[in-house]
Each structure stands twice: as C-alpha cells, then as structure tokens.
Amino acid sequence: MSGVLATLSSSAVCLVGGHTGEGAELAISISVQGQVAPQRVLRKQLTKPGNRLILTKPIGTGVIFAANMLAQANGKLVDQALSSMLESNKTAMETISAFDVSGCTDIAGFGLLGHAFEMLGKSDQTLGVKIDYQAIPLFDGVGELFAKGYYASIAEENYRSLSAMLDADVNNQKFPALFDPQTSGGLLFSVPPDQVEACLKALHQNGVTKACGIGEVIDDKIIII
C-alpha cells in the first residue's frame, strides 16, 4: 500500500476510498476517476492521413518475461524491462500536449499492432497505418530471444485476431515485435510530419529517450508492414 500511495502522490492523485476482499493470493487493483478539459482529450482514433506515428517506449516485455519463466533471460534484460515498466507515461503525455496530436493510445496486452488497429478501427474515415518494422525500438537482447523462438503465451493469439487484415507473409514468426504483449508499455500517437522532429527532440530532452518514429497514417483502411 505504501508503494501505491507513493506512486499516486507523484502523479498528483489522491486515494479516496477502498474495499477489502479475501482470496488465495495477494492482489490489489485501482479504479481511477478524473476530469479533463474537452480540448485536451486525446482519443484512440486516427484522424489525418500523412501524420507520422511515434512510439515512446521499446517493445519486448512480453518475450523477456516469457523467457525468464524458463530461466532463459539474462538478468540485465529483466532489469531493463522492469526499469521501463516503472517509468510513468506522465512525462511523455505532458510533453506531447504541446503538439497537434491526432490519435493516441498506450501499448499493452494486445501488442503494438493490436493497439494500432484499435486506433484505425474506431475512425469514421478510411484510414490505415504503414509501419516500418525495422524502426520499432526493442529492448537490448529481445531480437535474440525472438530468433531463438521465445514468445509470450498470448502473442500468437494477438496475431490470429489481426490475421484477416494482414498480408500472408506477416505473421508472429516473421514479425514478432508487432504482436508481443506489453506490460506498462509506451504511448503510440500521431503528429503532423512537420512536427515530428520537434516532438522527438522535446521527448528526448525530457527523458523519454527511446521515443522514435515508426510509421505513418495512410489514406486506405489497410495495415502495411
């Protein structure tokens, strides 16, 4: 509880109530409520073709911990994953608020491509995404884990849920970083192309050092890798 309170306090959040239950294992969950000015709402939908996609954290927590469960992940890999998971997206969110963001989501259990699909699937426009696979940032050592055949347990399910939208050569074995489920992953958002350089510079200067461009929004409801 002291850890929860410390994290909430650092994010200017107050704990105002609670409920106690019993179970076989120790567990804790938090329900968050708040208010946001309408003009500051960032919706989970893409709105402008030509905008560039930026990702703020590396990919790979899923495969790192899958390998770790089999005692096949170097301790340094686990440490870097934990360090990233402990980094709040608060700084990144505050930084990008100065730019013309059109569409933003966090990357979690559905993987990078699953959450990107959510963004284009909720749009009323005919929009899709083009992702440069080689540009996707990975934690050190994750490429080697993928090459050895390690995957998170739900990575294949993430692929199957999107397979109808993908070309036949796009699969979990060939492009595993697209489907790796993340815990406390980064933000994926789009900005106009003329703001990409300034946005990345601002993120890097504020400590979001792994942020990088990974693709763009296209004027066709498809996914291109």
Side-chain angles (χ1 to χ4, degrees):
M1 182 61 74
S2 62
V4 170
L5 289 172
T7 300
L8 293 179
S9 297
S10 66
S11 299
V13 177
C14 296
L15 183 64
V16 297
H19 172 74
T20 302
E22 294 183 355
E25 297 179 344
L26 179 65
I28 187 169
S29 62
I30 300 172
S31 176
V32 181
Q33 298 183 0
Q35 293 180 319
V36 60
Q39 67 272 18
R40 296 191 63 188
V41 173
L42 298 181
R43 301 188 183 282
K44 190 188 291 188
Q45 64 183 44
L46 301 173
T47 58
K48 297 179 181 178
N51 275 14
R52 300 298 191 264
L53 297 171
I54 293 177
L55 179 64
T56 63
K57 283 187 181 184
I59 297 295
T61 60
V63 68
I64 288 174
F65 288 106
N68 187 57
M69 290 177 66
L70 300 172
Q72 296 300 312
N74 185 289
K76 292 182 179 179
L77 273 68
V78 177
D79 285 345
Q80 65 174 329
L82 290 172
S83 294
S84 177
M85 289 160 58
L86 288 169
E87 293 178 3
S88 171
N89 285 321
K90 181 174 181 286
T91 298
M93 182 62 71
E94 291 174 343
T95 302
I96 69 176
S97 65
F99 298 88
D100 296 329
V101 175
S102 62
C104 180
T105 187
D106 65 321
I107 306 302
F110 295 149
L112 173 60
L113 200 58
H115 290 285
F117 174 75
E118 286 186 326
M119 293 176 76
L120 66 91
K122 292 182 180 298
S123 174
D124 293 331
Q125 302 184 55
T126 305
L127 298 175
V129 293
K130 182 178 181 180
I131 294 178
D132 179 358
Y133 187 78
Q134 298 301 322
I136 299 173
L138 302 178
F139 290 110
D140 295 338
V142 162
E144 289 82 354
L145 291 179
F146 284 141
K148 292 178 180 178
Y150 294 109
Y151 304 99
S153 58
I154 65 170
E156 188 65 25
E157 182 179 338
N158 284 344
Y159 159 68
R160 288 197 301 268
S161 68
L162 296 170
S163 58
M165 287 282 295
L166 304 173
D167 289 340
D169 65 336
V170 178
N171 54 57
N172 185 42
Q173 286 67 44
K174 191 173 181 180
F175 298 97
L178 296 175
F179 310 104
D180 190 59
Q182 303 306 291
T183 300
S184 188
L187 300 178
L188 177 67
F189 62 96
S190 71
V191 294
D194 60 347
Q195 295 186 14
V196 171
E197 184 176 350
C199 185
L200 287 174
K201 182 178 180 180
L203 285 167
H204 295 164
Q205 289 178 339
N206 284 294
V208 189
T209 58
K210 301 297 185 181
C212 65
I214 64 166
E216 63 182 299
V217 183
I218 58 177
D219 195 14
D220 195 1
K221 201 160 189 175
I222 57 175
I223 298 173
I224 299 175
I225 307 300

